Amino acid sequence: MQRIEQHACFGGSQEVWQHRSEVLGCDMRLAVYLPPQAAQGGKLPVLYWLSGLTCTEQNFITKAGAQQYAAEHGVILVAPDTSPRGDDVANAEGYDLGKGAGFYVNATQAPWAAHYRMYDYIVDELPALVEANFPASDARGICGHSMGGHGALVIGLRNPSRYRSISAFSPIVAPSQVPWGEKAFTAYLGEDRAAWQEYDATALVAHGYARTPLLVDQGGADEFLEGQLRPQLLQAAAEASNHPLTLRLQPGYDHSYYFIASFIGEHVAWHAKALKA
C-alpha cells in the first residue's frame, strides 16, 4: 500500500492509495476518507462507493461532497476504481466496455477473464485490505451510481452477511434487459443469458435473494431513465417478492453528480443508522 494523495477535509483526511491487486493482476487505486473520529481510537464502519461508467476513484471524492456527512456520522468512505488498469489489461473502443467499465462482474470470456474480476475484488480483496490497513470494522454498507449502482445492488444482495445496508443512485437495475448490460455481459460472460442472472439485481430480487432493505434514488429528468435504467422493473420485482424497497423518483434531476450531491447526505445518514444499529 502506497499513499499517493492526502488532503485535510472536514476535520479528517481524504487519501488516495495504490496497491497491487492479486485478484485483478494489476496495480489499483482506491480513495479512502478517514473522518475525524478515526484519530480517536477504535474502529469505524465503512461505506463502500462504486462509481459508474468512465469513472475512476476521483469522481466521487471530488464531486459528491460526501465527506462532510461521513465526518458528521463517523463513517469511513472507500471508493475504488471501476475496472482493472494497465498496459496489459484488455480494452475496447467506446466508453461502455473495457477500462472504466468493469461492471463489477467476474469475466469468464477471453480476453477479459485474465483481469476483469471486479466482483471478487470488491467482495473479498478490497475489504480485507481496508480492514487490515485502516481503523475499519467489518460493519459495511455499499452504495453506487449507474453502473456502480448496479454493482452495489448485486454485491449487497448476494452477500447479506457482508453488507448491512445497500443503496444506489440511478442504478442499472436490470442489465440483462438493457443495451449497456447486454453489451457488457455478452463480452464478459458469454452468450448464455442464464449466467447473466446472478449479476442482475432485478432477477436477484425476484428470486428472493436476501431481505436487506434497498434505498434507490432516481432522477426524473435522467436522459438514460427509460433506455438503460428502468427502475420500474426493480420495483415490480420487489413488490412481487415482498422485498423492502424505497424507490424515490426525484423530479427535475438528471444523471450527473449534481443529483448525487443533492441527496448523498441522506444516503450517508441512512447507511450510518444501519451500520451502527
Side-chain angles (χ1 to χ4, degrees), residues 14 21 35 38 43 76 80 83 87 107 112 121 142 145 150 165 196 229 252 264 271 273 276:
Q14 178 62 66
S21 169
K43 295 187 176 183
I76 295 172
S83 77
D87 293 340
W112 313 103
Y121 176 71
I142 192 163
H145 172 236
H150 139 74
S165 54
W196 299 5
L229 307 178
I264 191 64
H271 283 280
K273 182 178 180 180
K276 296 178 180 180

Side-chain angles (χ1 to χ4, degrees), residues 8-209:
C9 186
F10 290 99
S13 179
Q14 178 62 66
E15 303 177 357
V16 177
W17 292 75
Q18 182 169 294
H19 74 99
R20 181 70 181 178
S21 169
E22 298 304 321
V23 170
L24 303 177
C26 65
D27 290 338
M28 291 292 286
R29 292 185 176 186
L30 64 145
V32 180
Y33 176 68
L34 300 172
Q37 296 88 339
Q40 299 171 6
K43 295 187 176 183
L44 301 176
V46 183
L47 178 57
Y48 290 85
W49 172 270
L50 305 185
S51 292
L53 289 166
T54 75
C55 292
T56 69
E57 80 288 342
Q58 291 289 327
N59 298 72
F60 179 68
I61 63 174
T62 58
K63 296 180 178 180
Q67 294 93 338
Q68 61 180 313
Y69 306 109
E72 177 184 348
H73 294 285
V75 174
I76 295 172
L77 298 176
V78 174
D81 202 348
T82 53
S83 77
R85 304 282 180 173
D87 293 340
D88 60 340
V89 173
N91 199 16
E93 293 186 6
Y95 71 94
D96 53 357
L97 187 68
K99 295 177 186 178
F103 270 84
Y104 305 101
V105 303
N106 287 338
T108 59
Q109 305 299 301
W112 313 103
H115 296 283
Y116 283 75
R117 303 188 60 81
M118 288 298 293
Y119 180 89
D120 281 352
Y121 176 71
I122 299 298
V123 172
D124 296 318
E125 188 174 25
L126 181 63
L129 192 71
V130 168
E131 289 161 25
N133 289 277
F134 303 97
S137 74
D138 62 359
R140 312 178 193 98
I142 192 163
C143 183
H145 172 236
S146 194
M147 178 187 71
H150 139 74
L153 293 175
V154 167
I155 288 171
L157 288 168
R158 287 180 56 180
N159 298 276
S161 65
R162 284 184 162 273
Y163 301 95
R164 299 185 186 182
S165 54
I166 309 168
S167 76
F169 290 84
S170 312
I172 307 170
V173 302
S176 298
Q177 302 181 52
V178 299
W180 275 341
E182 289 176 327
K183 178 179 179 178
F185 284 7
T186 299
Y188 296 147
L189 305 174
E191 298 286 350
D192 182 7
R193 286 178 172 258
W196 299 5
Q197 299 304 296
E198 62 181 323
Y199 296 111
D200 187 304
T202 296
L204 295 177
V205 167
H207 289 100
Y209 268 70

